[in-house]
Amino acid sequence: MRLLLWGTGLAAAGVLSLVLVIAVALAVAYPNLPDVSALSDYRPKLPMRVYSADGVVIGEFGEERRSLTPVKDIPQVMKDAVLAIEDARFFSHGGVDYLGIIRAGLANVGKAKSQGASTITMQVARNVYLSTEKSYTRKLYEILLTFKLEHLLSKDQILEIYMNQIFLGNRAYGFAAASETYFGKPLKDVTIAEAAMLAGLPKAPSAYNPIANPKRARIRQQYIIERMQENGFITPAQAAAAKAEELNIKTGPDAGRVHAEYIAESVRQLVFNQYGEQTYTRGLNVYTTLRAADQSMAYKALRKGIMDFERRQIYRGPEKFVDLPAKPQDAEEAIDDALADNPDNGDIMSAVVLEATPKRITAMRQNSESVEITGEGLKPAQSGLSDKAAPNIKIRRGAVIRVVKTPKGVWEITQLPEVEGAFVALDPRDGAIRALVGGFDFEKNKFNHVTQAWRQPGSSFKPFVYSAALEKGFTPATVINDAPLFFDAGVTGGQPWEPKNYDGTFEGPMSLRTALKKSKNMISIRILQAVGASYGQEWITNFGFEAEKHPAYLTMALGAGSVTPMQMATAYSVFANGGYRINPYLITKITDQKGKVLVDAKAPVLEESARAIDARNAFVMSSLLQEVTRSGTAAKAQATLKRPDLYGKTGTTNDSIDTWFVGFQPTLTAAVWMGYDTPKKLGDRETGGGLSLPIWIDFMNYALRGVPVSEPPVPSGIVNVGGEWYYEEYARGAGVSSVGMQDAAAKATPPPAANAAVPSTPGTPGTPITVLPPADEKKRILDLFKN
């Protein structure tokens, strides 16, 4: 009895001592616990999301990919899946599973590092406030925080925090983001099978990642479905159906993605300038003028145009060579590593050659997919299959190549292009940017060629010289001689200059309308001679060009200055909208995570204060540009699109270094450029009409579907005489007969082949031309161009 009493006393003393120790520990630890009151208004780090005008996500910036979802909006099937595997008694216990704590303690004593008994509340405490260290001290703090959370928050609040805070791999935080990341769908639409797959991620996001480890992820998913059935969340029939369901895992970034990386980056820069580092954590939603469907079409059209050009280029050889072991399993691992280092680029896919002959290539893609290339599919790389091919060109076993699937469904060998391109489309009525592609591939080259590439515009710049001429008394029927010109060093101040037309021929006298549609260089130069280079330089600033980028020399007539594709689209919009200057804009609205509007940019309205050129000038120039797309260098536009309301101009610089097409329909202006980043020749026969125009046509063919034909109204002060448009003050002089005028001009003396003086022009550069009496108009024009 005495021993029993002693034993009982010692036990009681031990228990008391333990209680005292715990009490002291609690007294010391509790005041040091973090303040959890902020969780009652849970505000995690939320990324900035960028949206198109029609609500499609086109970009996301932030450390954590997360979409804050209130617990009421989380589907019940997702909650059930999480509770089944993580904490089935969540709504009945007080935050701590005591049996689980004992198991965790024993596991730590045994040096096993498992904390599998943690409840959802304990995981919230750990994920929000504590480190991942596994120790008794950290466990004590975790328990104390759990009690604090359970006292402060409701069960639904705790569950909401957990389901939005937990890391689930691939930069996804929370189940809403994970649903988009792995399945490409909103959380509200997940099935039982998908919910079970997502619920398996919290334990080990990398080990159970359905993209990286599909087999392991599948095993855990099946187990969770069983747990859901055991806990009564689903029926046996539902469980069987869920287990058999085939999941469509979003394996790559291209699945359903709108490629608007250059636009998204531009938005990021603009917003960061306003909000700083909060840009990445505040949960801002930025809405743009972009139309998702138009953007996708622009991306496809530009890439198609560049790849069509690439097919005509010399094969430059495989991207790299890898040694393939003889053992199949080892060879597959080497192939997987090589393909990981050389990932697919959209529809231009990577593959490793297993066998190559002049008539057939057998290669392997990801997931052991076999590719066989024969016949026409070998043509782009025929030089690499030759026995005489250089070692770095030769296609052989272990070569990493690029392949595409043609519209006919057959494989074709190709290569990533070196050439670059740019595309931008905007609404000329207000400047809203509808589509923008700054290059072939953002990951390869983040340089935005639409806004950052200063290139020579070539003949696409001629309309602005013609526009200046209209203000100096020229008309579309004015006749100028297409004859040789030569400027010696005394005139140029440098090297002698003997400009030529693109085809090297001269066709004699012709009207301005014919000259522009045929893109005659000699006539553009003579026009600028007549109006004065200084006046021309001043005039182009009305369209938004910078005078210093276009020196006041006659070479300006051939587009020897520097422009960006965005500038060209903006400038052509002045013709499209009747003469108004517009400023391209991208952002329409910015809201915070709760929908509060922070910025609301209204679409600008065209007012007379924004007028850049006379409405008559814009109308006549549009008529001239329409002729280009009807019967000139861009005749393919109207012929293909089967509509007359198309206007534009091709452009090709010296040695075909840059090619352009800029054009519009009254509701949409678009500019296309192609060239190398380090300027070099594209090819002897490459032109704006051959390279850039098809891209423009492909885009407009889609963008103008359902858009009614719309041609500009005739402004006051414009009359039509003999089928040609004139300013009213010049109409009576022109009314003699446009044919007679051409005949008279044809008899005029052609321009000299040497450095003759430029004839003086009525009026001085920068001022309106003197309007002569009608009877003298014909004589004035003939005198002006006699030399």
Side-chain angles (χ1 to χ4, degrees):
M1 182 63 68
R2 185 179 298 174
L3 289 173
L4 180 61
L5 290 173
W6 270 102
T8 302
L10 289 172
V15 170
L16 182 60
S17 299
L18 180 62
V19 170
L20 287 173
V21 169
I22 293 174
V24 171
L26 291 176
V28 172
Y30 201 84
N32 294 323
L33 292 177
D35 181 12
V36 299
S37 60
L39 282 183
S40 60
D41 184 20
Y42 176 58
R43 294 184 181 182
K45 290 181 179 180
L46 295 174
M48 177 183 77
R49 286 191 174 86
V50 185
Y51 295 86
S52 66
D54 38 359
V56 177
V57 177
I58 59 173
E60 184 176 85
F61 299 92
E63 297 176 5
E64 302 173 357
R65 184 182 291 140
R66 179 186 281 112
S67 181
L68 184 59
T69 308
V71 69
K72 64 181 177 62
D73 294 333
I74 299 173
Q76 190 61 44
V77 66
M78 191 68 249
K79 297 176 190 175
D80 291 343
V82 169
L83 294 176
I85 192 62
E86 294 294 332
D87 193 354
R89 295 179 55 251
F90 172 71
F91 284 100
S92 60
H93 63 59
V96 177
D97 183 346
Y98 295 103
L99 292 177
I101 293 296
I102 294 173
R103 286 198 305 271
L106 293 175
N108 274 346
V109 169
K111 302 301 182 183
K113 296 298 184 181
S114 172
Q115 301 292 341
S118 291
T119 64
I120 284 177
T121 310
M122 293 169 73
Q123 291 184 58
V124 169
R126 180 169 66 246
N127 291 332
V128 176
Y129 293 108
L130 302 175
S131 69
T132 56
E133 175 196 4
K134 294 180 180 179
S135 67
Y136 291 113
T137 302
R138 203 268 302 156
K139 197 68 179 179
L140 175 62
Y141 274 97
E142 183 180 306
I143 293 171
L144 294 177
L145 275 172
T146 296
F147 288 139
K148 205 169 184 179
L149 288 172
E150 287 277 347
H151 175 71
L152 179 69
L153 306 175
S154 68
K155 287 288 189 179
D156 276 345
Q157 285 178 304
I158 294 170
L159 186 60
E160 178 179 302
I161 294 168
Y162 175 81
M163 300 196 76
N164 282 284
Q165 182 72 21
I166 194 73
F167 175 63
L168 299 172
N170 282 40
R171 283 185 53 234
Y173 287 77
F175 287 94
S179 179
E180 292 285 357
T181 298
Y182 295 111
F183 301 119
K185 60 166 42 174
L187 185 61
K188 64 182 180 66
D189 295 334
V190 296
T191 64
I192 294 173
E194 291 167 338
M197 181 68 79
L198 295 176
L201 290 165
K203 182 176 181 180
S206 58
Y208 299 117
N209 185 315
I211 296 175
N213 293 295
K215 291 181 180 178
R216 189 179 295 182
R218 175 80 172 169
I219 292 171
R220 183 156 177 80
Q221 176 222 29
Q222 300 286 299
Y223 172 66
I224 292 173
I225 292 172
E226 293 172 2
R227 292 282 297 160
M228 292 176 74
Q229 181 186 340
E230 291 171 7
N231 283 279
F233 293 134
I234 58 176
T235 66
Q238 288 176 314
K243 284 185 175 184
E245 183 179 328
E246 286 291 330
L247 300 185
N248 294 316
I249 304 297
K250 184 180 172 184
T251 57
D254 288 340
R257 174 184 176 186
V258 175
H259 282 277
E261 295 89 346
Y262 291 97
I263 282 276
E265 174 58 19
S266 297
V267 169
R268 184 197 68 79
Q269 294 176 18
L270 292 169
V271 175
F272 185 83
N273 288 338
Q274 179 69 30
Y275 295 100
E277 291 298 330
Q278 289 188 12
T279 299
Y280 310 121
T281 60
R282 192 173 172 182
L284 298 174
N285 297 305
V286 185
Y287 298 87
T288 68
T289 58
L290 198 76
R291 289 196 289 233
D294 286 353
Q295 177 65 24
S296 293
M297 189 64 232
Y299 175 80
K300 292 175 184 175
L302 182 65
R303 283 176 67 96
K304 179 180 180 296
I306 289 175
M307 291 308 296
D308 285 346
F309 169 79
E310 190 59 45
R311 286 188 185 91
R312 300 194 293 273
Q313 306 312 301
I314 296 173
Y315 187 63
R316 296 183 294 274
E319 293 183 19
K320 66 184 294 188
F321 297 92
V322 295
D323 293 326
L324 296 182
K327 190 176 179 181
Q329 186 175 350
D330 294 341
E332 285 189 21
E333 290 182 6
I335 290 171
D336 288 343
D337 291 342
L339 296 179
D341 292 338
N342 297 268
D344 293 347
N345 187 306
D347 56 350
I348 304 171
M349 295 168 275
S350 55
V352 177
V353 174
L354 300 179
E355 183 183 358
T357 69
K359 293 185 178 181
R360 187 182 69 175
I361 293 176
T362 303
M364 182 178 289
R365 287 209 1 87
Q366 290 175 334
N367 300 319
S368 301
E369 179 186 3
S370 181
V371 172
E372 186 171 287
I373 310 169
T374 58
E376 292 293 314
L378 296 172
K379 278 193 173 180
Q382 202 65 52
S383 60
L385 294 170
S386 169
D387 292 335
K388 298 179 180 179
N392 63 318
I393 303 296
K394 181 72 172 176
I395 299 174
R396 59 183 184 273
R397 179 177 169 83
V400 179
I401 61 172
R402 293 284 168 171
V403 296
V404 293
K405 222 164 195 177
T406 67
K408 295 180 180 179
V410 298
W411 288 106
E412 179 181 270
I413 190 168
T414 186
Q415 58 190 343
L416 289 174
E418 292 182 341
V419 74
E420 273 293 356
F423 180 96
V424 60
L426 51 83
D427 190 328
R429 297 166 296 183
D430 60 12
I433 297 172
R434 297 305 185 191
L436 186 153
V437 187
F440 181 79
D441 176 34
F442 182 77
E443 294 303 320
K444 168 189 167 188
N445 187 351
K446 293 179 173 55
F447 184 79
N448 189 339
H449 296 83
V450 168
T451 58
Q452 295 176 290
W454 291 92
R455 308 294 293 225
Q456 289 187 339
S459 296
S460 63
F461 197 75
K462 289 175 181 175
F464 307 108
V465 176
Y466 278 60
S467 173
L470 295 181
E471 296 303 299
K472 285 291 190 178
F474 287 66
T475 74
T478 300
V479 175
I480 304 178
N481 199 8
D482 176 32
L485 282 168
F486 177 80
F487 302 91
D488 64 17
V491 174
T492 66
Q495 295 294 319
W497 182 41
E498 187 176 8
K500 298 184 183 301
N501 288 318
Y502 174 77
D503 59 6
T505 65
F506 304 95
E507 298 184 39
M510 64 179 66
S511 67
L512 258 69
R513 179 175 294 277
T514 301
L516 186 62
K517 81 174 186 179
K518 292 187 173 184
S519 199
K520 290 295 184 177
N521 291 340
M522 302 302 102
I523 290 179
S524 293
I525 294 171
R526 284 192 164 89
I527 290 175
L528 192 57
Q529 276 185 314
V531 304
S534 295
Y535 177 72
Q537 183 191 44
E538 179 185 342
W539 180 256
I540 65 171
T541 61
N542 292 323
F543 299 88
F545 296 114
E546 302 166 36
E548 60 272 19
K549 297 281 189 181
H550 302 270
Y553 303 123
L554 293 181
T555 52
M556 181 172 63
L558 306 185
S562 297
V563 299
T564 67
M566 182 66 83
Q567 278 190 331
M568 292 296 282
T570 304
Y572 271 69
S573 292
V574 176
F575 296 139
N577 63 30
Y580 297 93
R581 174 87 174 272
I582 56 156
N583 292 312
Y585 74 101
L586 185 56
I587 296 175
T588 59
K589 185 172 66 173
I590 301 177
T591 68
D592 64 14
Q593 67 186 55
K594 294 185 177 179
K596 179 183 177 182
V597 177
L598 305 176
V599 174
D600 192 4
K602 302 297 182 184
V605 178
L606 296 180
E607 299 176 343
E608 281 305 307
S609 60
R611 179 165 290 286
I613 62 174
D614 192 300
R616 300 183 304 171
N617 189 303
F619 178 85
V620 173
M621 284 307 307
S622 293
S623 173
L624 294 176
L625 292 170
Q626 187 178 39
E627 193 66 47
V628 176
T629 65
R630 177 166 49 228
S631 61
T633 57
K636 187 177 179 181
Q638 289 196 34
T640 303
L641 299 179
K642 310 296 184 186
R643 55 189 301 156
D645 57 338
L646 302 175
Y647 315 77
K649 183 70 184 74
T650 54
T652 310
T653 62
N654 280 351
D655 295 324
S656 298
I657 288 175
D658 299 275
T659 67
W660 295 80
F661 183 78
V662 191
F664 59 88
Q665 189 270 349
T667 64
L668 195 62
T669 303
V672 184
W673 165 83
M674 274 184 65
Y676 290 100
D677 279 337
T678 301
K680 66 178 181 178
K681 197 170 185 177
L682 288 164
D684 290 332
R685 298 187 178 183
E686 304 296 356
T687 65
L691 286 183
S692 298
L693 177 60
I695 297 170
W696 190 90
I697 291 174
D698 283 351
F699 173 80
M700 286 295 190
N701 186 44
Y702 176 85
L704 296 180
R705 287 178 187 172
V707 177
V709 171
S710 172
E711 298 191 59
V714 181
S716 60
I718 287 284
V719 295
N720 191 290
V721 178
E724 188 56 272
W725 298 105
Y726 297 89
Y727 284 13
E728 192 171 34
E729 58 264 34
Y730 303 134
R732 284 175 296 175
V736 174
S737 167
S738 60
V739 175
M741 188 179 297
Q742 291 183 35
D743 290 343
K747 298 174 183 177
T749 304
N755 57 328
V758 178
S760 60
T761 315
T764 58
T767 61
I769 190 169
T770 303
V771 179
L772 302 179
D776 297 334
E777 178 64 11
K778 177 182 175 185
K779 181 177 183 301
R780 181 187 72 81
I781 293 176
L782 292 177
D783 288 343
L784 185 60
F785 295 106
K786 182 167 62 176
N787 295 322

